[in-house]
Amino acid sequence: MNDKADIIRWFRASSAYINAHRNKIFVVLLTGEALSDKNLPNIVFDLSLLHSLGVKLVLVHGARPQISAALREKGHESQYHRNLRITTPDVIELVKERVGALSVTLKSLFSMGMYNSPMHGADLRLCRGNFITAKPVGVHDGIDFHYTGEIRKIQVEAIRQQLENGNVVMLSNLGYSLSGEVFNLSAERVATETAIALAADKLILMIPDEGVRDGSGELLLSLSHEDAATYAEEFAARSDSDSQSIAQALQAALLAYRSKVHRCHLISYREDGALLRELFTRRGNGSLLSNDNFDRLRVAQIEDVAGILALIKPLETDGTLVQRSRELLENEIGNFLVIELEDTIVACAALYPISDSSGELACIAIDPQHQGAGFGDRLLLELEARAREKGLSSLFVLTTVTAHWFLERGFETVAMEQLPERRQRLYNMQRKSKVLRKRLG
Ligand SMILES: CC(C)(COP(=O)(O)OP(=O)(O)OC[C@H]1O[C@@H](n2cnc3c(N)ncnc32)[C@H](O)[C@@H]1OP(=O)(O)O)[C@@H](O)C(=O)NCCC(=O)NCCS
């Protein structure tokens, strides 16, 4: 962002989100993996910023890799049954030690982050307490899980009270029984059940990747319930630890979603600023499982050709768009993005590379019944982001009737000669389209 206007536009655009998030409850899971990532200080800073913007934060941290490492140091292997760690009396002592140390480190990072950063002077109090009552998992298949526990009760009112007092609540994978014993819980479970019990506005799960990716590596910005269930299974079947973490996050998100936590975000803990981009920009920067994403922005597939044709036909007939045959559309389908609403294509747009450094945005069309709902803006933002990812520095559009819509979105009118030569040769003199360009910066 190098231009004053961009800064102002960005700041104004984010203010809508600042207002929307104020006083909302967000439960954030920081897994043990996230705690050992070098990006942790930035995450802590961004969480402090969220707190200062009035978000009520409950942080839940895990310690799985740290516990496994501690066991290895002592020459023991971690023992699991049914995907659950068996926490013998020796192991629980190690667990308490490691979780305690991590809690202290996290707490100190919050204090240091404030002191050493522009957040210096902001008032942030972290509150830890025995908010989670636990009970033993017990004996299954003849195997005693000892101090592996499950959640019995969450002290919802006590947590709410802390949040009302302006404190950030910090929980971990430890729970306490009424008889004073300490149990080792799943941090995912603590985060999920706390979000459900508090009827939190968001459950945020920090994962190793930018979000969930489909088979072709495409980031899925929004996930339906069905998608999440399918990907949870797919990732669980892979053996690498990143896929396992994503599978666990998806399972946690699904559980929360089914229990009416309506927005569950999967956001990278490795990428600096991912949390802020997901929460304060329209495009987001992660995968969102929510019940209000019944509209879905995605890359078009061959099955969408009929839907796109139905959408653009009237605009071709009245001359707003140039004619495209079915064959051409089939060949170029990979350039298209669509928005699908209840199984119907309601919006589309395409990006064509026209030189090494520039692209052309074409065929943007929104179903008349859905115009004015921001779909045009969403497609434009997504195409701009994709153009940047491809290393393009400017985006052209040729239009006969929609110039103002683009001008209001940072495009400028340029002479036809500014188009790359290859594209100039295809310019249709009879249509007299205006040529607009946006520098992508
Ligand atoms: C132009 C178009 C893509 C905008 O999409 P959209 O989803 O309706 O737009 P958004 O909801 O993001 O933005 C709506 C705003 O754009 C304005 N707008 C819509 N069409 C416009 C136009 N032709 N010129 C200027 N502004 C326009 C609306 O008045 C509204 O402004 P407001 O918020 O101040 O009331 C859509 O109206 C469309 O499909 N038009 C027909 C096809 C077309 O012209 N395609 C362009 C070919 S190059």
Side-chain angles (χ1 to χ4, degrees):
M1 205 181 312
N2 45 17
D3 170 79
K4 271 189 204 161
D6 274 350
I7 295 172
I8 292 165
R9 202 173 306 123
W10 165 80
F11 195 61
R12 285 188 181 144
S14 59
S15 63
Y17 296 97
I18 295 175
N19 289 326
H21 298 330
R22 189 173 300 122
N23 286 325
K24 298 284 164 47
I25 300 179
F26 293 4
V27 176
V28 182
L29 171 68
L30 292 166
T31 55
E33 287 82 359
L35 294 188
S36 39
D37 196 85
K38 63 178 186 321
N39 191 39
L40 182 66
N42 294 324
I43 297 176
V44 166
F45 174 80
D46 292 345
L47 289 169
S48 308
L49 181 59
L50 283 183
H51 170 74
S52 77
L53 293 173
V55 174
K56 295 176 174 168
L57 280 178
V58 178
L59 307 180
V60 181
H61 80 80
R64 200 171 288 130
Q66 291 83 355
I67 295 168
S68 300
L71 282 170
R72 273 196 306 277
E73 274 166 31
K74 301 241 175 222
H76 302 301
E77 262 318 302
S78 301
Q79 285 181 49
Y80 290 91
H81 183 64
R82 293 185 178 189
N83 257 340
L84 273 182
R85 188 190 291 280
I86 301 167
T87 316
T88 57
D90 286 351
V91 175
I92 192 68
E93 291 311 315
L94 265 180
V95 172
K96 285 196 274 188
E97 209 177 273
R98 287 295 150 132
V99 174
L102 283 170
S103 296
V104 171
T105 306
L106 198 51
K107 213 167 174 179
S108 71
L109 262 179
F110 268 96
S111 318
M112 191 184 81
M114 309 292 280
Y115 184 74
N116 278 346
S117 74
M119 293 299 295
H120 179 48
D123 179 28
L124 188 148
R125 287 179 306 275
L126 267 180
C127 156
R128 285 163 66 189
N130 51 347
F131 297 114
I132 308 288
T133 311
K135 59 182 182 187
V137 165
V139 180
H140 292 272
D141 308 323
I143 294 177
D144 189 348
F145 281 84
H146 298 277
Y147 290 95
T148 302
E150 52 191 51
I151 297 166
R152 182 170 169 189
K153 192 167 184 244
I154 295 172
Q155 310 296 333
V156 178
E157 279 321 307
I159 295 177
R160 278 191 190 284
Q161 191 60 56
Q162 292 298 333
L163 295 175
E164 285 308 316
N165 292 344
N167 296 333
V168 173
V169 173
M170 191 161 98
L171 307 174
S172 71
N173 58 316
L174 294 186
Y176 305 85
S177 76
L178 295 178
S179 54
E181 287 165 313
V182 178
F183 285 92
N184 182 22
L185 310 172
S186 139
E188 283 83 5
R189 202 73 195 192
V190 173
T192 308
E193 299 213 6
T194 304
I196 295 169
L198 288 169
D201 298 280
K202 285 183 191 297
L203 170 62
I204 297 177
L205 302 148
M206 304 298 287
I207 59 167
D209 200 356
E210 243 186 289
V212 180
R213 292 181 190 279
D214 66 12
S216 53
E218 202 67 51
L219 180 65
L220 301 166
L221 296 171
S222 57
L223 290 170
S224 68
H225 179 255
E226 293 76 20
D227 290 338
T230 310
Y231 285 110
E233 273 184 30
E234 277 186 20
F235 279 89
R238 298 183 199 163
S239 55
D240 62 290
S241 62
D242 282 4
S243 297
Q244 289 296 316
S245 300
I246 296 172
Q248 279 169 351
L250 278 167
Q251 280 150 6
L254 275 166
L255 184 64
Y257 175 88
R258 287 189 194 116
S259 305
K260 311 251 179 316
V261 177
H262 294 305
R263 295 177 83 82
C264 302
H265 300 255
L266 276 72
I267 306 175
S268 167
Y269 58 72
R270 287 187 179 145
E271 196 192 331
D272 186 13
L275 185 63
L276 297 185
R277 275 207 296 280
E278 173 71 358
L279 296 175
F280 294 99
T281 64
R282 185 177 267 182
R283 181 174 188 244
N285 194 85
S287 295
L288 169 66
L289 168 63
S290 84
N291 66 350
D292 54 9
N293 66 355
F294 45 86
D295 64 70
R296 219 153 60 100
L297 193 162
R298 59 173 174 78
V299 177
Q301 289 157 6
I302 200 79
E303 298 76 33
D304 300 320
V305 167
I308 296 175
L309 277 172
L311 182 68
I312 61 178
K313 206 85 236 128
L315 294 161
E316 291 180 353
T317 308
D318 75 9
T320 306
L321 297 177
V322 282
Q323 302 269 350
R324 276 180 176 76
S325 67
R326 176 181 282 272
E327 292 69 37
L328 186 73
L329 208 55
E330 283 175 358
N331 284 334
E332 297 178 344
I333 195 69
N335 293 342
F336 275 76
L337 291 179
V338 291
I339 296 182
E340 186 186 34
L341 180 69
E342 290 167 355
D343 296 329
T344 308
I345 304 297
V346 294
C348 69
L351 172 68
Y352 293 88
I354 50 174
S355 75
D356 287 348
S357 60
S358 57
E360 178 179 348
L361 187 159
C363 204
I364 182 163
I366 318 298
D367 180 311
Q369 281 188 3
H370 296 284
Q371 288 180 6
F375 288 171
D377 265 333
R378 274 170 62 188
L379 285 169
L380 178 61
L381 270 172
E382 185 59 28
L383 284 181
E384 284 178 12
R386 283 166 190 260
R388 279 193 197 92
E389 276 162 21
K390 288 182 198 297
L392 305 181
S393 56
S394 42
L395 195 57
F396 286 92
V397 66
L398 275 67
T399 179
T400 49
V401 293
T402 322
H404 276 254
W405 191 81
F406 290 105
L407 289 171
E408 286 165 21
R409 282 152 182 84
F411 283 78
E412 52 175 349
T413 311
V414 294
M416 195 267 279
E417 292 70 30
Q418 299 285 328
L419 279 170
E421 249 182 68
R422 191 156 53 107
R423 182 62 182 89
Q424 274 184 47
R425 285 200 290 277
L426 297 173
Y427 183 84
N428 182 338
M429 289 296 179
Q430 268 155 14
R431 274 181 69 77
K432 295 198 175 63
S433 302
K434 290 198 166 64
V435 180
L436 292 101
R437 180 181 61 195
K438 184 168 184 177
R439 298 220 184 264
L440 296 175

